[in-house]
Amino acid sequence: MADIEFIRKLVMPAETKIVFLVMDGIGGLPLEPGGLTELETARTPNLDVLAQKSVCGGTVPIGAGITPGSGPGHLALFGYDPCRYVIGRGVLEALGIDFDLQPSDVAGRGNFCSVDEQGRVTDRRAGRISTEKCIELTALLRDQVHLPDVELFVEPVKEHRFVLVLRGAGLAGDLSESDPQQLGVPPLPIRPLPEAGDLVASRRTAELVNDFVAQAQRVLADQHPANMVLLRGLDKRPAIPSMKDAFGLRAAAIAVYPMYRGLAKLVGMDALPSGTKLADEFDALEKAWPDYDFFYLHFKYTDSRGEDGNFKGKVEVIEEFDSYVPRAMALKPDVVVVTGDHSTPSLLKAHSWHPVPTILHSRYCRCDGTQKYGERACARGALGTFPAVDLMPLALANALRLIKFGA
Amino acid sequence: MADIEFIRKLVMPAETKIVFLVMDGIGGLPLEPGGLTELETARTPNLDVLAQKSVCGGTVPIGAGITPGSGPGHLALFGYDPCRYVIGRGVLEALGIDFDLQPSDVAGRGNFCSVDEQGRVTDRRAGRISTEKCIELTALLRDQVHLPDVELFVEPVKEHRFVLVLRGAGLAGDLSESDPQQLGVPPLPIRPLPEAGDLVASRRTAELVNDFVAQAQRVLADQHPANMVLLRGLDKRPAIPSMKDAFGLRAAAIAVYPMYRGLAKLVGMDALPSGTKLADEFDALEKAWPDYDFFYLHFKYTDSRGEDGNFKGKVEVIEEFDSYVPRAMALKPDVVVVTGDHSTPSLLKAHSWHPVPTILHSRYCRCDGTQKYGERACARGALGTFPAVDLMPLALANALRLIKFGA
């Protein structure tokens, strides 16, 4: 239902302000059956008070049983169908290093790898070379590889990973990957995918990328162990209507990590200077308060602790976040949403498919009697278990920013 | 959301095992307003303990207010959109008599009927002739009707009902029915439906079927009261990806009745020897345990008692089923689902549209505090009221058999 074209026609101007407080990977699991989750264990007096004045539920980011990556998880939160707007791996990697990706750029995710004398892959990650080595090798490629008529960027990421960006006219994504995903065979040639939208441009781009790979192999021939490259997820930024266009919102992102700032920029948010700590993020929120209608404030460490399998650590950072909630409330936002882009249970040390406990507060939210911010309490809330992509229309409605549909 | 093509791309191999315990028509209604349903009346200590370690909800097999037949009800349980994969009446009837239907066969459901001297239908069921008579008449047709270039099967079912199967190259379904659904008019000629996918093959098949009807009328002319045939639901098996293809599961069906075994075979399950009693079915489960990833165990009598309007009898067979649950749990399955393909309230003596009380148990299920397996208890569970077709992706996720979507 939450279809951008449908919502867009109902948007009306208003002076109201919406805040999304996003704790990455907030949803969890008990360590022992019948026990409490991280969030249920944490002392969260401020979030509990907020839940009592709110309508609550559990969001499903993509679909039943589907574990989201950060890209689709955030797109759903921002009100965009994550199955319709697909973000390639290369684009996500470029966003993650704060690369200023242009709409016509094609970005791919690269690995330095090892090949034998016959060119067959012997290690897909070249023994996870150091980041220093990666910086050295990308500089070498940047220097010595040249493609006709396109500007080339080869940017280090971490260990064996780098980003390749081609900039120029007439390029297109929808390309296959060169990574054969197995050892003992040579890298695959890059080709347009069958579903390519602009086959001529995709074919030309594939030729350029194959030329890059051939030159890279020569340049790296004497290196050890990283003497070749593998490329995946070569694509352009998806063409997404901005939050201004879709929802009439001047939107700002407050996030410390580049990837989340990049995701927000994909939907036209301004990524504000956000410092490095939670205090800096709330400073940024207060400072920018007069200038925007919508604020996305991202907190990374709930996800990091979950990924580390650190139950206690996740409890602690939840409690830290809770202590900052009054600063957001003091600004008297018209609508406050507290949620996450997905669950990251410490038990699984990974993202998961579980619904994300969610609070929606406004003067008009129809409180449901939820007493506490937690997985089970929210699951019994009046929003029930519902698609994350519905949050944005609900927030807009509660901000009195949507006219009625039909007469 | 639970789209086969989408899920298929996320499937990864694992050693985990999934069991679906399916009590046909389990959902019910109280006899008196405010009373207890059959399931709520039954003493189910084992299912109640399981519910306490699970996440619960109520599945909607097809859509709000839609009462499912057994075919679509089961397809949804197996993870297939029942509105996309439609099983014709003829195919279902063939499955019900354990007929070994081939993918290229066209099957139709037949009635023996009565017509007057002008060929106008006077009784659509020929006074519900005996099954013995039906066997005699189908033998007659099998003997005396001959069609060019196709093999013909005319198989008795029960009373006035039989199955017609055409086997040969170049046949297609998508055919209209000859049953005029009223008295005093002659049977209708069979024609290709407007939506026929292969019009040439459908037209040829229609001609063959009309030839069969004409010959049958001559063969039966002197019979009384069954002197003519009516045909409905002439179609092929739907082309359904197997559970191995779609979900990466080696799947086994344990079911006593042929139709449920047939439905399971439609999606590529092996139908195991299952005996005649519930004890036999659990024997079969234990015996086959090492050889499969997924087990569908079907229990018929909850539906039968419901159809009979036998509230007390339904309570008893639920209690019988409950007593076998520990045998399934002793196998230590990674994921256990307890559900039904639809509701069959004794009060209605028929299938109904009501959500089906459902338990999903795994190490990672995020228990929701449900205390009992029952309609109202499950409706308050964290899964809420949700599409039955979402059960399979949820089971796969809980079995750690799906990778994440997007980076």
Side-chain angles (χ1 to χ4, degrees), chain A residues 43 68 71 77 85 111 130 155 172 180 196-197 233 237 256 293 321 327 335 339 341 345 356:
Chain A
R43 285 189 59 257
L77 276 189
Y85 300 105
N111 273 14
S130 70
E155 305 296 329
R237 285 168 47 166
V256 172
D293 310 306
F321 191 89
R327 286 184 61 181
V335 179
T339 188
D341 54 340
V356 182

PDB file of all heavy atoms in Angstrom, chain A residues 43 68 71 77 85 111 130 155 172 180 196-197 233 237 256 293 321 327 335 339 341 345 356:
ATOM      1  N   ARG A  43      17.579  -0.939  31.303  1.00  0.00           N
ATOM      2  CA  ARG A  43      16.767   0.062  32.014  1.00  0.00           C
ATOM      3  C   ARG A  43      16.583   1.240  31.068  1.00  0.00           C
ATOM      4  O   ARG A  43      17.540   1.938  30.749  1.00  0.00           O
ATOM      5  CB  ARG A  43      17.462   0.524  33.288  1.00  0.00           C
ATOM      6  CG  ARG A  43      17.403  -0.504  34.426  1.00  0.00           C
ATOM      7  CD  ARG A  43      17.915   0.100  35.733  1.00  0.00           C
ATOM      8  NE  ARG A  43      17.140   1.269  36.130  1.00  0.00           N
ATOM      9  CZ  ARG A  43      17.528   2.551  35.997  1.00  0.00           C
ATOM     10  NH1 ARG A  43      18.707   2.848  35.479  1.00  0.00           N
ATOM     11  NH2 ARG A  43      16.738   3.542  36.377  1.00  0.00           N
ATOM     12  N   PRO A  68      17.121  -8.319   6.555  1.00  0.00           N
ATOM     13  CA  PRO A  68      17.543  -7.226   5.677  1.00  0.00           C
ATOM     14  C   PRO A  68      19.007  -6.852   5.857  1.00  0.00           C
ATOM     15  O   PRO A  68      19.516  -6.865   6.975  1.00  0.00           O
ATOM     16  CB  PRO A  68      16.674  -6.049   6.120  1.00  0.00           C
ATOM     17  CG  PRO A  68      16.049  -6.443   7.416  1.00  0.00           C
ATOM     18  CD  PRO A  68      16.469  -7.834   7.770  1.00  0.00           C
ATOM     19  N   GLY A  71      21.094  -1.524   3.699  1.00  0.00           N
ATOM     20  CA  GLY A  71      20.519  -0.721   2.623  1.00  0.00           C
ATOM     21  C   GLY A  71      19.010  -0.859   2.567  1.00  0.00           C
ATOM     22  O   GLY A  71      18.278   0.104   2.810  1.00  0.00           O
ATOM     23  N   LEU A  77      12.534   2.051   6.119  1.00  0.00           N
ATOM     24  CA  LEU A  77      12.274   3.065   7.153  1.00  0.00           C
ATOM     25  C   LEU A  77      11.965   4.419   6.545  1.00  0.00           C
ATOM     26  O   LEU A  77      11.138   5.168   7.045  1.00  0.00           O
ATOM     27  CB  LEU A  77      13.508   3.245   8.036  1.00  0.00           C
ATOM     28  CG  LEU A  77      13.725   2.295   9.186  1.00  0.00           C
ATOM     29  CD1 LEU A  77      14.876   2.802  10.037  1.00  0.00           C
ATOM     30  CD2 LEU A  77      12.465   2.193  10.030  1.00  0.00           C
ATOM     31  N   TYR A  85      13.390  -0.481  -5.040  1.00  0.00           N
ATOM     32  CA  TYR A  85      14.602   0.344  -5.144  1.00  0.00           C
ATOM     33  C   TYR A  85      15.773  -0.457  -4.604  1.00  0.00           C
ATOM     34  O   TYR A  85      15.975  -0.529  -3.397  1.00  0.00           O
ATOM     35  CB  TYR A  85      14.428   1.642  -4.365  1.00  0.00           C
ATOM     36  CG  TYR A  85      13.266   2.479  -4.858  1.00  0.00           C
ATOM     37  CD1 TYR A  85      12.090   2.554  -4.137  1.00  0.00           C
ATOM     38  CD2 TYR A  85      13.359   3.172  -6.058  1.00  0.00           C
ATOM     39  CE1 TYR A  85      11.014   3.319  -4.593  1.00  0.00           C
ATOM     40  CE2 TYR A  85      12.291   3.936  -6.526  1.00  0.00           C
ATOM     41  CZ  TYR A  85      11.122   4.001  -5.788  1.00  0.00           C
ATOM     42  OH  TYR A  85      10.072   4.750  -6.251  1.00  0.00           O
ATOM     43  N   ASN A 111      37.473  -6.864  -4.819  1.00  0.00           N
ATOM     44  CA  ASN A 111      38.352  -7.618  -3.920  1.00  0.00           C
ATOM     45  C   ASN A 111      39.706  -7.741  -4.581  1.00  0.00           C
ATOM     46  O   ASN A 111      39.767  -8.076  -5.777  1.00  0.00           O
ATOM     47  CB  ASN A 111      37.867  -9.070  -3.752  1.00  0.00           C
ATOM     48  CG  ASN A 111      36.851  -9.246  -2.661  1.00  0.00           C
ATOM     49  OD1 ASN A 111      36.292  -8.268  -2.177  1.00  0.00           O
ATOM     50  ND2 ASN A 111      36.621 -10.498  -2.294  1.00  0.00           N
ATOM     51  N   SER A 130      46.537  -6.390   4.357  1.00  0.00           N
ATOM     52  CA  SER A 130      46.340  -5.252   5.266  1.00  0.00           C
ATOM     53  C   SER A 130      45.710  -4.083   4.518  1.00  0.00           C
ATOM     54  O   SER A 130      45.824  -3.981   3.286  1.00  0.00           O
ATOM     55  CB  SER A 130      47.682  -4.809   5.844  1.00  0.00           C
ATOM     56  OG  SER A 130      48.457  -4.210   4.807  1.00  0.00           O
ATOM     57  N   GLU A 155      39.291   3.218  -5.141  1.00  0.00           N
ATOM     58  CA  GLU A 155      39.392   3.721  -3.766  1.00  0.00           C
ATOM     59  C   GLU A 155      39.493   2.569  -2.772  1.00  0.00           C
ATOM     60  O   GLU A 155      38.693   1.638  -2.817  1.00  0.00           O
ATOM     61  CB  GLU A 155      38.147   4.557  -3.427  1.00  0.00           C
ATOM     62  CG  GLU A 155      37.864   5.692  -4.398  1.00  0.00           C
ATOM     63  CD  GLU A 155      38.970   6.743  -4.391  1.00  0.00           C
ATOM     64  OE1 GLU A 155      39.590   6.939  -3.328  1.00  0.00           O
ATOM     65  OE2 GLU A 155      39.222   7.347  -5.464  1.00  0.00           O
ATOM     66  N   ALA A 172      26.230   2.311 -18.005  1.00  0.00           N
ATOM     67  CA  ALA A 172      25.065   1.712 -17.358  1.00  0.00           C
ATOM     68  C   ALA A 172      25.504   0.551 -16.487  1.00  0.00           C
ATOM     69  O   ALA A 172      26.583  -0.021 -16.677  1.00  0.00           O
ATOM     70  CB  ALA A 172      24.051   1.230 -18.400  1.00  0.00           C
ATOM     71  N   PRO A 180      34.045 -15.698  -9.445  1.00  0.00           N
ATOM     72  CA  PRO A 180      33.423 -16.996  -9.758  1.00  0.00           C
ATOM     73  C   PRO A 180      32.859 -17.671  -8.499  1.00  0.00           C
ATOM     74  O   PRO A 180      32.222 -18.720  -8.602  1.00  0.00           O
ATOM     75  CB  PRO A 180      34.574 -17.808 -10.338  1.00  0.00           C
ATOM     76  CG  PRO A 180      35.806 -17.237  -9.708  1.00  0.00           C
ATOM     77  CD  PRO A 180      35.529 -15.773  -9.447  1.00  0.00           C
ATOM     78  N   ALA A 196      19.090  -6.147 -18.220  1.00  0.00           N
ATOM     79  CA  ALA A 196      19.661  -4.802 -18.379  1.00  0.00           C
ATOM     80  C   ALA A 196      18.673  -3.869 -19.074  1.00  0.00           C
ATOM     81  O   ALA A 196      18.065  -4.217 -20.086  1.00  0.00           O
ATOM     82  CB  ALA A 196      20.962  -4.880 -19.163  1.00  0.00           C
ATOM     83  N   GLY A 197      18.533  -2.660 -18.531  1.00  0.00           N
ATOM     84  CA  GLY A 197      17.581  -1.698 -19.074  1.00  0.00           C
ATOM     85  C   GLY A 197      18.088  -1.025 -20.340  1.00  0.00           C
ATOM     86  O   GLY A 197      17.317  -0.749 -21.259  1.00  0.00           O
ATOM     87  N   GLY A 233      28.689  -6.540  -8.125  1.00  0.00           N
ATOM     88  CA  GLY A 233      27.671  -5.516  -7.867  1.00  0.00           C
ATOM     89  C   GLY A 233      27.908  -4.210  -8.598  1.00  0.00           C
ATOM     90  O   GLY A 233      27.755  -3.133  -8.020  1.00  0.00           O
ATOM     91  N   ARG A 237      23.577   4.276  -8.917  1.00  0.00           N
ATOM     92  CA  ARG A 237      22.637   4.578  -7.848  1.00  0.00           C
ATOM     93  C   ARG A 237      21.223   4.331  -8.358  1.00  0.00           C
ATOM     94  O   ARG A 237      20.911   4.662  -9.500  1.00  0.00           O
ATOM     95  CB  ARG A 237      22.720   6.066  -7.480  1.00  0.00           C
ATOM     96  CG  ARG A 237      23.907   6.466  -6.695  1.00  0.00           C
ATOM     97  CD  ARG A 237      24.036   7.987  -6.634  1.00  0.00           C
ATOM     98  NE  ARG A 237      22.786   8.654  -6.301  1.00  0.00           N
ATOM     99  CZ  ARG A 237      22.719   9.932  -5.922  1.00  0.00           C
ATOM    100  NH1 ARG A 237      23.817  10.662  -5.827  1.00  0.00           N
ATOM    101  NH2 ARG A 237      21.551  10.477  -5.642  1.00  0.00           N
ATOM    102  N   VAL A 256      26.860   9.064  12.263  1.00  0.00           N
ATOM    103  CA  VAL A 256      28.314   9.124  12.379  1.00  0.00           C
ATOM    104  C   VAL A 256      28.988   8.343  11.257  1.00  0.00           C
ATOM    105  O   VAL A 256      29.983   8.780  10.694  1.00  0.00           O
ATOM    106  CB  VAL A 256      28.747   8.594  13.764  1.00  0.00           C
ATOM    107  CG1 VAL A 256      30.247   8.449  13.846  1.00  0.00           C
ATOM    108  CG2 VAL A 256      28.223   9.530  14.870  1.00  0.00           C
ATOM    109  N   ASP A 293      12.196  19.651   8.392  1.00  0.00           N
ATOM    110  CA  ASP A 293      10.903  19.082   8.812  1.00  0.00           C
ATOM    111  C   ASP A 293      11.060  17.667   9.362  1.00  0.00           C
ATOM    112  O   ASP A 293      10.231  17.191  10.118  1.00  0.00           O
ATOM    113  CB  ASP A 293       9.946  18.971   7.605  1.00  0.00           C
ATOM    114  CG  ASP A 293       9.855  20.251   6.820  1.00  0.00           C
ATOM    115  OD1 ASP A 293       9.562  21.302   7.428  1.00  0.00           O
ATOM    116  OD2 ASP A 293      10.098  20.205   5.598  1.00  0.00           O
ATOM    117  N   PHE A 321      21.636   5.289  25.000  1.00  0.00           N
ATOM    118  CA  PHE A 321      20.739   5.980  24.071  1.00  0.00           C
ATOM    119  C   PHE A 321      19.519   6.532  24.811  1.00  0.00           C
ATOM    120  O   PHE A 321      19.098   7.673  24.609  1.00  0.00           O
ATOM    121  CB  PHE A 321      20.299   5.035  22.949  1.00  0.00           C
ATOM    122  CG  PHE A 321      19.589   5.752  21.833  1.00  0.00           C
ATOM    123  CD1 PHE A 321      20.305   6.273  20.765  1.00  0.00           C
ATOM    124  CD2 PHE A 321      18.209   5.947  21.866  1.00  0.00           C
ATOM    125  CE1 PHE A 321      19.660   6.971  19.743  1.00  0.00           C
ATOM    126  CE2 PHE A 321      17.559   6.643  20.846  1.00  0.00           C
ATOM    127  CZ  PHE A 321      18.286   7.154  19.782  1.00  0.00           C
ATOM    128  N   ARG A 327      16.441  14.846  25.446  1.00  0.00           N
ATOM    129  CA  ARG A 327      16.906  15.988  24.641  1.00  0.00           C
ATOM    130  C   ARG A 327      16.087  16.109  23.360  1.00  0.00           C
ATOM    131  O   ARG A 327      15.792  17.214  22.904  1.00  0.00           O
ATOM    132  CB  ARG A 327      18.397  15.839  24.318  1.00  0.00           C
ATOM    133  CG  ARG A 327      19.269  16.124  25.543  1.00  0.00           C
ATOM    134  CD  ARG A 327      20.747  16.081  25.222  1.00  0.00           C
ATOM    135  NE  ARG A 327      21.159  17.076  24.224  1.00  0.00           N
ATOM    136  CZ  ARG A 327      22.407  17.206  23.783  1.00  0.00           C
ATOM    137  NH1 ARG A 327      23.371  16.386  24.247  1.00  0.00           N
ATOM    138  NH2 ARG A 327      22.721  18.115  22.902  1.00  0.00           N
ATOM    139  N   VAL A 335       5.968  14.563  15.856  1.00  0.00           N
ATOM    140  CA  VAL A 335       5.946  13.102  15.736  1.00  0.00           C
ATOM    141  C   VAL A 335       7.331  12.555  16.079  1.00  0.00           C
ATOM    142  O   VAL A 335       8.333  13.060  15.577  1.00  0.00           O
ATOM    143  CB  VAL A 335       5.580  12.652  14.298  1.00  0.00           C
ATOM    144  CG1 VAL A 335       5.578  11.128  14.191  1.00  0.00           C
ATOM    145  CG2 VAL A 335       4.224  13.206  13.884  1.00  0.00           C
ATOM    146  N   THR A 339      12.756   3.322  16.507  1.00  0.00           N
ATOM    147  CA  THR A 339      12.743   2.022  15.834  1.00  0.00           C
ATOM    148  C   THR A 339      14.171   1.647  15.450  1.00  0.00           C
ATOM    149  O   THR A 339      15.139   2.250  15.912  1.00  0.00           O
ATOM    150  CB  THR A 339      11.798   2.072  14.605  1.00  0.00           C
ATOM    151  OG1 THR A 339      11.648   0.756  14.063  1.00  0.00           O
ATOM    152  CG2 THR A 339      12.309   3.010  13.524  1.00  0.00           C
ATOM    153  N   ASP A 341      16.478  -0.392  11.909  1.00  0.00           N
ATOM    154  CA  ASP A 341      16.380  -0.803  10.503  1.00  0.00           C
ATOM    155  C   ASP A 341      16.210  -2.316  10.383  1.00  0.00           C
ATOM    156  O   ASP A 341      15.851  -2.834   9.329  1.00  0.00           O
ATOM    157  CB  ASP A 341      17.600  -0.325   9.715  1.00  0.00           C
ATOM    158  CG  ASP A 341      18.911  -0.775  10.340  1.00  0.00           C
ATOM    159  OD1 ASP A 341      18.922  -1.115  11.552  1.00  0.00           O
ATOM    160  OD2 ASP A 341      19.928  -0.810   9.632  1.00  0.00           O
ATOM    161  N   PRO A 345      20.145  -9.731  16.984  1.00  0.00           N
ATOM    162  CA  PRO A 345      20.262 -10.400  18.280  1.00  0.00           C
ATOM    163  C   PRO A 345      21.712 -10.828  18.569  1.00  0.00           C
ATOM    164  O   PRO A 345      22.372 -11.385  17.683  1.00  0.00           O
ATOM    165  CB  PRO A 345      19.372 -11.640  18.118  1.00  0.00           C
ATOM    166  CG  PRO A 345      18.516 -11.373  16.901  1.00  0.00           C
ATOM    167  CD  PRO A 345      19.338 -10.499  16.026  1.00  0.00           C
ATOM    168  N   VAL A 356      10.924  -5.425  14.419  1.00  0.00           N
ATOM    169  CA  VAL A 356      11.690  -4.423  15.160  1.00  0.00           C
ATOM    170  C   VAL A 356      10.741  -3.652  16.076  1.00  0.00           C
ATOM    171  O   VAL A 356       9.781  -3.039  15.595  1.00  0.00           O
ATOM    172  CB  VAL A 356      12.367  -3.446  14.171  1.00  0.00           C
ATOM    173  CG1 VAL A 356      13.205  -2.431  14.943  1.00  0.00           C
ATOM    174  CG2 VAL A 356      13.208  -4.203  13.158  1.00  0.00           C
TER     175      VAL A 356
END
